Amino acid sequence: MIKFAPDLEKIPESGAGSQCRCSNKTYVTIATMKVLRTVSSLQEAMESCRRAGQTIGLVPTMGALHDGHLSLMKRARADNDVVVASVFVNPTQFNNQTDLLTYPRTEEADCAALETAGVDFAFIPSVEEIYPEPDTRTFDLGPVAQVMEGAMRPGHFNGVAQIVSKLFSMVGPTRAYFGEKDFQQIAVIRRMAQLEDFDFDIVACPIVRESDGLAMSSRNVRLTPEQRAVAPTIHRVLAESLDLARTASVAEVKQWVKERIDATPFMSTEYYEIVNPLTMQPTDCWLTPDGPATGCITVYCGDVRLIDNITYKI
Ligand code: PAF
């Protein structure tokens, strides 16, 4: 059973809830996930875990959880004594009010999924709790934040840096987990962590896909059945472009991908860039000094904005 704890009274001794030994000598976990809504209850809980010498894995989310998120919880669960997931639709990272208002909110289902995933603490604050006054900080995120999503969504990455830096400070994790679907976001968070002297592991976890290849995303639920039927084209075209990349230039592959996506009903490419995997800067080489180039795409499928990426290990 989930316990809602506006102010935490008792921290469990073990990270994953209480465990009891059954007569057949197998261990069974009894879930005791706590839902925390205030920064002070979160900080108190984390302080207690640290005092007990426990490692803490943090998984920041905006809710509307799917198996992609749950793979992050699973990884955090395997790596740490204690797992904290935050569920907060962060207004400062939305540069489009309609996108903010239509962002799916499914708190009850999220809590059930987090508890099943073995999360110890779900931090679900209000906007007022996180931003008692406006956050006026501007982060010097540099070139990684100026291209692709940074160019298309002004202010987005600064908003991501604001909320993630707040969560990092509030939780003080041993490790924090992010999904590679938001490939550029990970580079931006690493840059923010460097600027703010957050000296812990930022763990990048692989994209989780539906069986037809569509990258899992909270926005997928907004696709109509007709749009959902064609949405897997994004990954299919990217995967097919790996073959072409063996014989074609970066410029040729970029054009080929865009033409195929744009020829698909409902779809229009916002950008397709092939970039250095660390600096996020466009490259002409399949193998950059920092590793294989990554293709990052954003596609409008109707009015739903979908992103995906692929690594050109060729
Ligand atoms: O990737 C997301 O869901 C969000 O950008 C994040 C990292 C939770 C910050 O709000």
Side-chain angles (χ1 to χ4, degrees):
M1 209 188 94
I2 300 164
K3 280 189 197 154
F4 286 83
D7 279 301
L8 194 67
E9 283 154 14
K10 192 166 175 281
I11 313 293
E13 290 281 292
S14 78
S18 21
Q19 292 190 316
C20 68
R21 194 160 207 177
C22 299
S23 51
N24 65 3
K25 298 201 188 326
T26 56
Y27 282 90
V28 175
T29 298
I30 299 169
T32 56
M33 186 178 85
K34 287 196 164 58
V35 176
L36 308 175
R37 298 201 181 266
T38 64
V39 174
S40 58
S41 60
L42 174 72
Q43 286 173 327
E44 201 183 316
M46 295 304 101
E47 192 44 46
S48 174
C49 294
R50 271 191 299 275
R51 267 202 309 274
Q54 292 174 311
T55 56
I56 302 171
L58 167 65
V59 188
T61 82
M62 296 207 298
L65 302 178
H66 48 69
D67 283 354
H69 294 112
L70 298 180
S71 74
L72 306 182
M73 309 298 160
K74 199 169 165 194
R75 177 73 197 273
R77 181 73 281 158
D79 292 351
N80 300 281
D81 299 320
V82 173
V83 178
V84 188
S86 61
V87 176
F88 179 66
V89 182
N90 172 40
T92 72
Q93 72 186 76
F94 285 82
N95 59 326
N96 174 328
Q97 280 307 296
T98 314
D99 197 19
L100 172 60
L101 294 174
T102 56
Y103 201 85
R105 290 156 210 257
T106 57
E107 187 181 305
E108 219 174 297
D110 290 346
C111 283
L114 291 175
E115 181 163 51
T116 306
V119 166
D120 302 298
F121 298 99
F123 177 50
I124 313 183
S126 65
V127 173
E128 295 70 35
E129 184 67 20
I130 294 292
Y131 297 112
E133 60 232 21
D135 190 338
T136 53
R137 291 174 301 162
T138 303
F139 291 82
D140 176 15
L141 297 171
V144 287
Q146 285 160 9
V147 293
M148 302 190 288
E149 293 298 283
M152 295 299 163
R153 304 179 68 189
H156 167 66
F157 281 137
N158 199 62
V160 170
Q162 288 175 339
I163 183 60
V164 175
S165 66
K166 275 177 181 274
L167 291 168
F168 282 4
S169 300
M170 290 165 187
V171 172
T174 316
R175 300 176 190 88
Y177 297 80
F178 297 90
E180 283 183 335
K181 183 172 75 65
D182 296 294
F183 192 74
Q184 188 180 7
Q185 173 173 272
I186 297 178
V188 169
I189 290 169
R190 288 193 199 283
R191 165 78 182 157
M192 177 280 292
Q194 189 188 33
L195 290 171
E196 300 291 297
D197 286 331
F198 290 117
D199 187 19
F200 50 78
D201 282 350
I202 291 170
V203 183
C205 302
I207 298 178
V208 178
R209 298 185 180 281
E210 303 287 355
S211 55
D212 58 13
L214 177 64
M216 289 194 182
S217 162
S218 305
R219 291 190 166 90
N220 291 352
V221 295
R222 293 185 47 223
L223 296 166
T224 65
E226 295 76 17
Q227 291 164 351
R228 176 65 188 80
V230 294
T233 308
I234 302 171
H235 177 60
R236 189 170 44 74
V237 169
L238 291 183
E240 285 172 9
S241 79
L242 290 177
D243 263 351
L244 182 63
R246 283 181 235 285
T247 53
S249 70
V250 165
E252 286 164 340
V253 169
K254 273 167 69 170
Q255 193 185 341
W256 186 89
V257 166
K258 281 188 216 161
E259 280 172 7
R260 260 145 202 83
I261 300 284
D262 292 342
T264 307
F266 307 112
M267 287 206 186
S268 141
T269 310
E270 187 175 53
Y271 64 78
Y272 185 51
E273 290 293 351
I274 294 178
V275 301
N276 173 304
L278 289 189
T279 66
M280 300 294 125
Q281 301 309 296
T283 176
D284 290 335
C285 312
W286 293 120
L287 187 58
T288 81
D290 297 314
T294 300
C296 297
I297 196 161
T298 295
V299 174
Y300 274 97
C301 189
D303 65 355
V304 185
R305 198 168 179 275
L306 300 175
I307 71 174
D308 204 340
N309 62 75
I310 197 144
T311 301
Y312 285 96
K313 275 193 202 131
I314 49 177

PDB file of all heavy atoms in Angstrom, residues 56-79:
ATOM      1  N   ILE A  56      21.910   6.453  -2.972  1.00  0.00           N
ATOM      2  CA  ILE A  56      20.595   6.951  -3.413  1.00  0.00           C
ATOM      3  C   ILE A  56      20.607   7.128  -4.929  1.00  0.00           C
ATOM      4  O   ILE A  56      21.444   7.855  -5.473  1.00  0.00           O
ATOM      5  CB  ILE A  56      20.290   8.316  -2.750  1.00  0.00           C
ATOM      6  CG1 ILE A  56      20.311   8.195  -1.225  1.00  0.00           C
ATOM      7  CG2 ILE A  56      18.946   8.864  -3.252  1.00  0.00           C
ATOM      8  CD1 ILE A  56      20.232   9.534  -0.485  1.00  0.00           C
ATOM      9  N   GLY A  57      19.664   6.468  -5.606  1.00  0.00           N
ATOM     10  CA  GLY A  57      19.492   6.653  -7.057  1.00  0.00           C
ATOM     11  C   GLY A  57      18.297   7.562  -7.296  1.00  0.00           C
ATOM     12  O   GLY A  57      17.216   7.322  -6.744  1.00  0.00           O
ATOM     13  N   LEU A  58      18.503   8.603  -8.102  1.00  0.00           N
ATOM     14  CA  LEU A  58      17.419   9.549  -8.400  1.00  0.00           C
ATOM     15  C   LEU A  58      16.979   9.388  -9.849  1.00  0.00           C
ATOM     16  O   LEU A  58      17.813   9.373 -10.761  1.00  0.00           O
ATOM     17  CB  LEU A  58      17.910  10.994  -8.192  1.00  0.00           C
ATOM     18  CG  LEU A  58      16.995  12.104  -8.745  1.00  0.00           C
ATOM     19  CD1 LEU A  58      15.652  12.146  -8.006  1.00  0.00           C
ATOM     20  CD2 LEU A  58      17.693  13.467  -8.665  1.00  0.00           C
ATOM     21  N   VAL A  59      15.664   9.268 -10.060  1.00  0.00           N
ATOM     22  CA  VAL A  59      15.117   9.231 -11.426  1.00  0.00           C
ATOM     23  C   VAL A  59      14.110  10.378 -11.580  1.00  0.00           C
ATOM     24  O   VAL A  59      12.963  10.255 -11.140  1.00  0.00           O
ATOM     25  CB  VAL A  59      14.427   7.878 -11.733  1.00  0.00           C
ATOM     26  CG1 VAL A  59      14.049   7.829 -13.210  1.00  0.00           C
ATOM     27  CG2 VAL A  59      15.309   6.699 -11.366  1.00  0.00           C
ATOM     28  N   PRO A  60      14.537  11.483 -12.198  1.00  0.00           N
ATOM     29  CA  PRO A  60      13.592  12.590 -12.408  1.00  0.00           C
ATOM     30  C   PRO A  60      12.646  12.268 -13.569  1.00  0.00           C
ATOM     31  O   PRO A  60      13.087  11.761 -14.612  1.00  0.00           O
ATOM     32  CB  PRO A  60      14.490  13.781 -12.798  1.00  0.00           C
ATOM     33  CG  PRO A  60      15.878  13.374 -12.415  1.00  0.00           C
ATOM     34  CD  PRO A  60      15.906  11.873 -12.558  1.00  0.00           C
ATOM     35  N   THR A  61      11.337  12.533 -13.393  1.00  0.00           N
ATOM     36  CA  THR A  61      10.374  12.312 -14.477  1.00  0.00           C
ATOM     37  C   THR A  61       9.332  13.431 -14.456  1.00  0.00           C
ATOM     38  O   THR A  61       9.217  14.164 -13.475  1.00  0.00           O
ATOM     39  CB  THR A  61       9.610  10.969 -14.346  1.00  0.00           C
ATOM     40  OG1 THR A  61       8.525  11.146 -13.422  1.00  0.00           O
ATOM     41  CG2 THR A  61      10.482   9.819 -13.900  1.00  0.00           C
ATOM     42  N   MET A  62       8.565  13.469 -15.537  1.00  0.00           N
ATOM     43  CA  MET A  62       7.405  14.366 -15.556  1.00  0.00           C
ATOM     44  C   MET A  62       6.117  13.533 -15.516  1.00  0.00           C
ATOM     45  O   MET A  62       5.050  13.996 -15.927  1.00  0.00           O
ATOM     46  CB  MET A  62       7.441  15.264 -16.789  1.00  0.00           C
ATOM     47  CG  MET A  62       8.654  16.199 -16.770  1.00  0.00           C
ATOM     48  SD  MET A  62       8.422  17.732 -17.676  1.00  0.00           S
ATOM     49  CE  MET A  62       8.159  17.109 -19.318  1.00  0.00           C
ATOM     50  N   GLY A  63       6.223  12.300 -15.033  1.00  0.00           N
ATOM     51  CA  GLY A  63       5.035  11.454 -14.899  1.00  0.00           C
ATOM     52  C   GLY A  63       4.573  10.894 -16.229  1.00  0.00           C
ATOM     53  O   GLY A  63       5.333  10.828 -17.192  1.00  0.00           O
ATOM     54  N   ALA A  64       3.286  10.473 -16.266  1.00  0.00           N
ATOM     55  CA  ALA A  64       2.732   9.757 -17.421  1.00  0.00           C
ATOM     56  C   ALA A  64       3.690   8.613 -17.781  1.00  0.00           C
ATOM     57  O   ALA A  64       4.145   8.464 -18.918  1.00  0.00           O
ATOM     58  CB  ALA A  64       2.510  10.691 -18.609  1.00  0.00           C
ATOM     59  N   LEU A  65       3.968   7.820 -16.767  1.00  0.00           N
ATOM     60  CA  LEU A  65       5.065   6.850 -16.868  1.00  0.00           C
ATOM     61  C   LEU A  65       4.751   5.698 -17.815  1.00  0.00           C
ATOM     62  O   LEU A  65       3.617   5.223 -17.888  1.00  0.00           O
ATOM     63  CB  LEU A  65       5.368   6.292 -15.471  1.00  0.00           C
ATOM     64  CG  LEU A  65       5.746   7.350 -14.431  1.00  0.00           C
ATOM     65  CD1 LEU A  65       5.988   6.693 -13.069  1.00  0.00           C
ATOM     66  CD2 LEU A  65       6.968   8.147 -14.863  1.00  0.00           C
ATOM     67  N   HIS A  66       5.785   5.265 -18.533  1.00  0.00           N
ATOM     68  CA  HIS A  66       5.677   4.117 -19.425  1.00  0.00           C
ATOM     69  C   HIS A  66       6.889   3.219 -19.162  1.00  0.00           C
ATOM     70  O   HIS A  66       7.709   3.519 -18.274  1.00  0.00           O
ATOM     71  CB  HIS A  66       5.612   4.577 -20.891  1.00  0.00           C
ATOM     72  CG  HIS A  66       6.669   5.580 -21.246  1.00  0.00           C
ATOM     73  ND1 HIS A  66       8.008   5.263 -21.308  1.00  0.00           N
ATOM     74  CD2 HIS A  66       6.596   6.903 -21.538  1.00  0.00           C
ATOM     75  CE1 HIS A  66       8.705   6.323 -21.643  1.00  0.00           C
ATOM     76  NE2 HIS A  66       7.879   7.349 -21.772  1.00  0.00           N
ATOM     77  N   ASP A  67       7.004   2.157 -19.956  1.00  0.00           N
ATOM     78  CA  ASP A  67       8.065   1.185 -19.682  1.00  0.00           C
ATOM     79  C   ASP A  67       9.470   1.788 -19.834  1.00  0.00           C
ATOM     80  O   ASP A  67      10.433   1.275 -19.257  1.00  0.00           O
ATOM     81  CB  ASP A  67       7.926  -0.032 -20.605  1.00  0.00           C
ATOM     82  CG  ASP A  67       6.804  -0.942 -20.137  1.00  0.00           C
ATOM     83  OD1 ASP A  67       6.234  -0.673 -19.058  1.00  0.00           O
ATOM     84  OD2 ASP A  67       6.484  -1.914 -20.848  1.00  0.00           O
ATOM     85  N   GLY A  68       9.578   2.855 -20.629  1.00  0.00           N
ATOM     86  CA  GLY A  68      10.876   3.531 -20.747  1.00  0.00           C
ATOM     87  C   GLY A  68      11.298   4.077 -19.391  1.00  0.00           C
ATOM     88  O   GLY A  68      12.434   3.858 -18.932  1.00  0.00           O
ATOM     89  N   HIS A  69      10.381   4.780 -18.719  1.00  0.00           N
ATOM     90  CA  HIS A  69      10.689   5.283 -17.372  1.00  0.00           C
ATOM     91  C   HIS A  69      10.995   4.114 -16.428  1.00  0.00           C
ATOM     92  O   HIS A  69      11.906   4.183 -15.610  1.00  0.00           O
ATOM     93  CB  HIS A  69       9.487   6.027 -16.787  1.00  0.00           C
ATOM     94  CG  HIS A  69       9.129   7.295 -17.499  1.00  0.00           C
ATOM     95  ND1 HIS A  69       7.975   7.450 -18.227  1.00  0.00           N
ATOM     96  CD2 HIS A  69       9.784   8.473 -17.587  1.00  0.00           C
ATOM     97  CE1 HIS A  69       7.922   8.664 -18.720  1.00  0.00           C
ATOM     98  NE2 HIS A  69       8.997   9.319 -18.367  1.00  0.00           N
ATOM     99  N   LEU A  70      10.180   3.060 -16.552  1.00  0.00           N
ATOM    100  CA  LEU A  70      10.328   1.968 -15.583  1.00  0.00           C
ATOM    101  C   LEU A  70      11.668   1.253 -15.756  1.00  0.00           C
ATOM    102  O   LEU A  70      12.228   0.725 -14.786  1.00  0.00           O
ATOM    103  CB  LEU A  70       9.145   1.000 -15.683  1.00  0.00           C
ATOM    104  CG  LEU A  70       7.802   1.702 -15.351  1.00  0.00           C
ATOM    105  CD1 LEU A  70       6.634   0.729 -15.462  1.00  0.00           C
ATOM    106  CD2 LEU A  70       7.820   2.361 -13.972  1.00  0.00           C
ATOM    107  N   SER A  71      12.219   1.303 -16.976  1.00  0.00           N
ATOM    108  CA  SER A  71      13.563   0.724 -17.162  1.00  0.00           C
ATOM    109  C   SER A  71      14.604   1.552 -16.387  1.00  0.00           C
ATOM    110  O   SER A  71      15.596   1.002 -15.901  1.00  0.00           O
ATOM    111  CB  SER A  71      13.921   0.636 -18.653  1.00  0.00           C
ATOM    112  OG  SER A  71      14.218   1.916 -19.167  1.00  0.00           O
ATOM    113  N   LEU A  72      14.365   2.854 -16.257  1.00  0.00           N
ATOM    114  CA  LEU A  72      15.288   3.687 -15.463  1.00  0.00           C
ATOM    115  C   LEU A  72      15.176   3.324 -13.978  1.00  0.00           C
ATOM    116  O   LEU A  72      16.178   3.245 -13.263  1.00  0.00           O
ATOM    117  CB  LEU A  72      14.974   5.177 -15.625  1.00  0.00           C
ATOM    118  CG  LEU A  72      14.921   5.767 -17.040  1.00  0.00           C
ATOM    119  CD1 LEU A  72      14.633   7.270 -16.989  1.00  0.00           C
ATOM    120  CD2 LEU A  72      16.224   5.534 -17.780  1.00  0.00           C
ATOM    121  N   MET A  73      13.917   3.103 -13.545  1.00  0.00           N
ATOM    122  CA  MET A  73      13.699   2.720 -12.130  1.00  0.00           C
ATOM    123  C   MET A  73      14.409   1.381 -11.845  1.00  0.00           C
ATOM    124  O   MET A  73      15.025   1.191 -10.795  1.00  0.00           O
ATOM    125  CB  MET A  73      12.201   2.546 -11.810  1.00  0.00           C
ATOM    126  CG  MET A  73      11.298   3.677 -12.211  1.00  0.00           C
ATOM    127  SD  MET A  73      11.658   5.217 -11.399  1.00  0.00           S
ATOM    128  CE  MET A  73      10.843   6.355 -12.523  1.00  0.00           C
ATOM    129  N   LYS A  74      14.282   0.479 -12.820  1.00  0.00           N
ATOM    130  CA  LYS A  74      14.864  -0.862 -12.640  1.00  0.00           C
ATOM    131  C   LYS A  74      16.390  -0.755 -12.498  1.00  0.00           C
ATOM    132  O   LYS A  74      17.001  -1.374 -11.636  1.00  0.00           O
ATOM    133  CB  LYS A  74      14.498  -1.693 -13.878  1.00  0.00           C
ATOM    134  CG  LYS A  74      14.599  -3.159 -13.708  1.00  0.00           C
ATOM    135  CD  LYS A  74      13.979  -3.886 -14.883  1.00  0.00           C
ATOM    136  CE  LYS A  74      14.428  -5.320 -14.862  1.00  0.00           C
ATOM    137  NZ  LYS A  74      14.152  -6.009 -16.116  1.00  0.00           N
ATOM    138  N   ARG A  75      16.976   0.077 -13.377  1.00  0.00           N
ATOM    139  CA  ARG A  75      18.436   0.256 -13.325  1.00  0.00           C
ATOM    140  C   ARG A  75      18.844   0.904 -11.996  1.00  0.00           C
ATOM    141  O   ARG A  75      19.802   0.481 -11.341  1.00  0.00           O
ATOM    142  CB  ARG A  75      18.845   1.114 -14.528  1.00  0.00           C
ATOM    143  CG  ARG A  75      20.306   1.461 -14.605  1.00  0.00           C
ATOM    144  CD  ARG A  75      21.166   0.262 -15.001  1.00  0.00           C
ATOM    145  NE  ARG A  75      22.555   0.537 -14.681  1.00  0.00           N
ATOM    146  CZ  ARG A  75      23.391   1.166 -15.491  1.00  0.00           C
ATOM    147  NH1 ARG A  75      23.007   1.541 -16.688  1.00  0.00           N
ATOM    148  NH2 ARG A  75      24.645   1.385 -15.136  1.00  0.00           N
ATOM    149  N   ALA A  76      18.071   1.924 -11.594  1.00  0.00           N
ATOM    150  CA  ALA A  76      18.384   2.610 -10.329  1.00  0.00           C
ATOM    151  C   ALA A  76      18.237   1.636  -9.149  1.00  0.00           C
ATOM    152  O   ALA A  76      19.037   1.642  -8.210  1.00  0.00           O
ATOM    153  CB  ALA A  76      17.469   3.814 -10.150  1.00  0.00           C
ATOM    154  N   ARG A  77      17.212   0.778  -9.240  1.00  0.00           N
ATOM    155  CA  ARG A  77      16.963  -0.209  -8.183  1.00  0.00           C
ATOM    156  C   ARG A  77      18.153  -1.179  -8.072  1.00  0.00           C
ATOM    157  O   ARG A  77      18.584  -1.546  -6.973  1.00  0.00           O
ATOM    158  CB  ARG A  77      15.662  -0.960  -8.519  1.00  0.00           C
ATOM    159  CG  ARG A  77      15.165  -2.009  -7.598  1.00  0.00           C
ATOM    160  CD  ARG A  77      14.572  -1.492  -6.299  1.00  0.00           C
ATOM    161  NE  ARG A  77      15.623  -1.145  -5.354  1.00  0.00           N
ATOM    162  CZ  ARG A  77      15.486  -0.313  -4.333  1.00  0.00           C
ATOM    163  NH1 ARG A  77      14.354   0.308  -4.123  1.00  0.00           N
ATOM    164  NH2 ARG A  77      16.484  -0.056  -3.508  1.00  0.00           N
ATOM    165  N   ALA A  78      18.682  -1.568  -9.231  1.00  0.00           N
ATOM    166  CA  ALA A  78      19.787  -2.532  -9.223  1.00  0.00           C
ATOM    167  C   ALA A  78      21.081  -1.910  -8.688  1.00  0.00           C
ATOM    168  O   ALA A  78      21.894  -2.594  -8.083  1.00  0.00           O
ATOM    169  CB  ALA A  78      20.018  -3.063 -10.642  1.00  0.00           C
ATOM    170  N   ASP A  79      21.246  -0.599  -8.906  1.00  0.00           N
ATOM    171  CA  ASP A  79      22.526   0.053  -8.575  1.00  0.00           C
ATOM    172  C   ASP A  79      22.591   0.633  -7.174  1.00  0.00           C
ATOM    173  O   ASP A  79      23.674   0.993  -6.720  1.00  0.00           O
ATOM    174  CB  ASP A  79      22.782   1.243  -9.519  1.00  0.00           C
ATOM    175  CG  ASP A  79      23.050   0.828 -10.970  1.00  0.00           C
ATOM    176  OD1 ASP A  79      23.200  -0.372 -11.226  1.00  0.00           O
ATOM    177  OD2 ASP A  79      23.110   1.733 -11.835  1.00  0.00           O
TER     178      ASP A  79
END
